[in-house]
Amino acid sequence: MLISYAALFLSVILMQLSSGGVGPLDALSGIQLNFTTEQIGLLGSAHFVGFFLGCWWAPRLIGDIGHSRAFAAFTAAGTIGMLSHMLIIDPWAWAAMRVASGMCVAGCYTVIEAWLQSKVSNESRGRAMGVYRVADMSAAMVAQLLISVLEPAHYISYNILAILCCASLVPLTLTKIRQPETPSAPRLRPMLAIRCSPLAALAVIVAAQSSAAFRMIGPVYGQQVGLEINQIAWFLAAFVLGGALAQYPVGWLSDKYDRRHVLVGLSLAAIISCFTTALLSGLPTVGIMLTAFFFGMTSFPIYSVAAAHANDFAKSSERVELSAALIFFFALGAISAPYLASYLISLFGPSSMFFMIATGHFGLIVFGLHRMGRRPSQSGRTRYIWSPRTSFIIGNLTGSIRERK
């Protein structure tokens, strides 16, 4: 299986290294170029605008021109966006470039996941998804570390990321695997998520708020609390590592106990992490890294727990559209979070980002306790799946794995 899908997984790794590195690099470059904090936040929000547009458009473009051509088109858009950074030094122009990079990553993931979906069998689906997640998350963590060796606001740094983006074309276009049939574009029905579980819809927004604010504005926070660039890189990587390592124990808890209790518990732990980071400003560097690790452990798995909870109340025929609806709500939270966090930082200082995130988790706790009194727990629950937030068609890959327990 590894050999058969090596080209697809290698394309994922190269794409994640490129797209995952541009966010923190933009934040540090913006600081060096004297962009305001709000303008840096705008760049992060623009990325997720492009991500949403790419998720919606990619299945339709694949239907018109095919998988390989669609992948090439999205890769070209992302490469142009990265290469253009040092040609035009303007935050609004950079925001347009980040829309292009957001479309690139969403479109390329859509192509890869459509390709995987058509090739895996029911027997190999679980293993294929496991390798896919490991490849994606490992590359995401390494991408955060790239900023320790990439000089901010330098054309060579953006050239390196553009080269990685272009390199993702090579494995996929040279593979001998026959192109699959065109995937059907799922209907976007946001109300389906609310009908299945209002709590899951809110939890996805809070998860997006936490992840997008931390990954896009985290470099600004690190710079303002005195971290060096290489320390900021490890600060961001610790968040991703904590989130990845927490998936399996959280998944076990989610399958064993009421998922609403798990969501409330994760949010409570995330609030503790936020207040620890915000109030203990004198923490040593190791302490700051540990708080980022713990924050990743408590906030990163919330999306997957919410997705599992929503799927508990969905029909089998609704799971693909439910996945698209959840990613829609994730995009809403991710679009708003970086700009709001940067605005609060400019007014009240770096700690305000964590107070903002803690407020979202407090709201999730209150609403979760409210929903416990409105509806009993579902007895026939689906299996917990570590759900990537990559494309509207990820439900095609994960839907059939969610067997009733």
Side-chain angles (χ1 to χ4, degrees), residues 1-11 115-116 119-120 124 127-128 131-132 171-172 174-178:
M1 184 192 70
L2 287 175
I3 296 173
S4 299
Y5 300 113
L8 297 179
F9 294 144
L10 183 54
S11 289
W115 218 312
L116 277 174
K119 299 303 177 184
V120 297
S124 64
R127 286 176 295 150
V131 176
Y132 177 53
L172 190 137
L174 293 182
T175 180
K176 294 182 179 180
I177 302 176
R178 182 177 299 176

Side-chain angles (χ1 to χ4, degrees), residues 172-381:
L172 190 137
T173 52
L174 293 182
T175 180
K176 294 182 179 180
I177 302 176
R178 182 177 299 176
Q179 290 194 50
E181 296 181 2
T182 301
S184 57
R187 288 186 299 165
L188 182 55
R189 296 196 293 157
M191 292 306 297
L192 175 62
I194 295 177
R195 180 177 65 79
C196 290
S197 173
L199 176 61
L202 178 62
V204 165
I205 294 174
V206 173
Q209 177 196 44
S210 303
S211 177
F214 190 93
R215 294 181 70 173
M216 296 298 173
I217 309 301
V220 177
Y221 171 86
Q223 187 266 342
Q224 293 197 9
V225 297
L227 295 179
E228 301 292 335
I229 290 181
N230 65 318
Q231 294 172 332
I232 293 174
W234 282 105
F235 178 66
L236 299 175
F239 167 78
V240 178
L241 179 62
L245 294 180
Q247 292 291 339
Y248 291 102
V250 169
W252 180 82
L253 291 171
S254 174
D255 283 342
K256 188 173 179 63
Y257 300 104
D258 189 333
R259 284 172 175 148
R260 296 171 297 184
H261 293 163
V262 177
L263 285 173
V264 168
L266 286 172
S267 280
L268 181 60
I271 289 174
I272 294 172
S273 175
C274 287
F275 276 94
T276 301
T277 306
L279 297 178
L280 300 181
S281 57
L283 283 174
T285 301
V286 174
I288 294 176
M289 301 302 169
L290 288 175
T291 58
F293 179 82
F294 185 65
F295 179 65
M297 289 186 67
T298 55
S299 62
F300 209 97
I302 286 178
Y303 180 92
S304 295
V305 177
H309 182 60
N311 275 276
D312 290 343
F313 298 93
K315 302 175 184 177
S316 296
S317 59
E318 295 175 328
R319 287 183 185 156
V320 173
E321 293 182 356
L322 175 59
S323 174
L326 291 173
I327 291 178
F328 169 80
F329 282 108
F330 181 86
L332 287 184
I335 289 170
S336 61
Y339 184 79
L340 179 58
S342 64
Y343 178 73
L344 291 174
I345 287 176
S346 67
L347 291 179
F348 305 110
S351 297
S352 60
M353 179 179 78
F354 287 99
F355 287 122
M356 180 200 80
I357 295 172
T359 300
H361 284 281
F362 178 76
L364 181 58
I365 291 173
V366 172
F367 191 62
L369 295 174
H370 168 71
R371 291 300 299 174
M372 289 179 196
R374 295 290 301 272
R375 181 165 65 176
S377 176
Q378 179 68 279
S379 55
R381 293 186 290 173

Side-chain angles (χ1 to χ4, degrees), residues 11 14-15 17-18 75 146 159-169:
S11 289
L14 292 169
M15 180 56 61
L17 288 174
S18 174
T75 303
L146 282 178
N159 280 2
I160 291 173
L161 295 181
I163 289 171
L164 290 171
C165 188
C166 286
S168 68
L169 270 170

Side-chain angles (χ1 to χ4, degrees), residues 13-265:
I13 291 170
L14 292 169
M15 180 56 61
Q16 182 62 266
L17 288 174
S18 174
S19 62
V22 72
L25 180 61
D26 266 3
L28 294 175
S29 298
I31 293 171
Q32 187 161 316
L33 294 170
N34 296 318
F35 289 1
T36 66
T37 306
E38 296 98 316
Q39 289 169 341
I40 295 173
L42 176 68
L43 302 181
S45 294
H47 172 85
F48 288 104
V49 170
F51 169 80
F52 173 75
L53 293 175
C55 284
W56 181 85
W57 186 34
R60 294 155 180 82
L61 186 63
I62 293 172
D64 291 337
I65 64 175
H67 292 69
S68 293
R69 289 179 178 177
F71 192 90
F74 282 116
T75 303
T79 302
I80 291 170
M82 293 174 196
L83 290 175
S84 301
H85 271 70
M86 298 315 297
L87 297 179
I88 308 173
I89 309 300
D90 179 80
W92 290 100
W94 280 29
M97 298 169 197
R98 289 302 300 277
V99 170
S101 66
M103 289 179 61
C104 169
V105 65
C108 290
Y109 271 110
T110 300
V111 173
I112 291 169
E113 288 166 3
W115 218 312
L116 277 174
Q117 162 63 21
S118 69
K119 299 303 177 184
V120 297
S121 62
N122 288 333
E123 291 75 21
S124 64
R125 188 180 303 272
R127 286 176 295 150
M129 281 299 298
V131 176
Y132 177 53
R133 287 190 294 260
V134 169
D136 181 52
M137 291 301 297
S138 299
M141 186 173 67
V142 174
Q144 309 309 306
L145 298 175
L146 282 178
I147 61 172
S148 64
V149 296
L150 297 179
E151 183 179 347
H154 199 284
Y155 74 96
I156 291 180
S157 300
Y158 287 99
N159 280 2
I160 291 173
L161 295 181
I163 289 171
L164 290 171
C165 188
C166 286
S168 68
L169 270 170
V170 178
L172 190 137
T173 52
L174 293 182
T175 180
K176 294 182 179 180
I177 302 176
R178 182 177 299 176
Q179 290 194 50
E181 296 181 2
T182 301
S184 57
R187 288 186 299 165
L188 182 55
R189 296 196 293 157
M191 292 306 297
L192 175 62
I194 295 177
R195 180 177 65 79
C196 290
S197 173
L199 176 61
L202 178 62
V204 165
I205 294 174
V206 173
Q209 177 196 44
S210 303
S211 177
F214 190 93
R215 294 181 70 173
M216 296 298 173
I217 309 301
V220 177
Y221 171 86
Q223 187 266 342
Q224 293 197 9
V225 297
L227 295 179
E228 301 292 335
I229 290 181
N230 65 318
Q231 294 172 332
I232 293 174
W234 282 105
F235 178 66
L236 299 175
F239 167 78
V240 178
L241 179 62
L245 294 180
Q247 292 291 339
Y248 291 102
V250 169
W252 180 82
L253 291 171
S254 174
D255 283 342
K256 188 173 179 63
Y257 300 104
D258 189 333
R259 284 172 175 148
R260 296 171 297 184
H261 293 163
V262 177
L263 285 173
V264 168

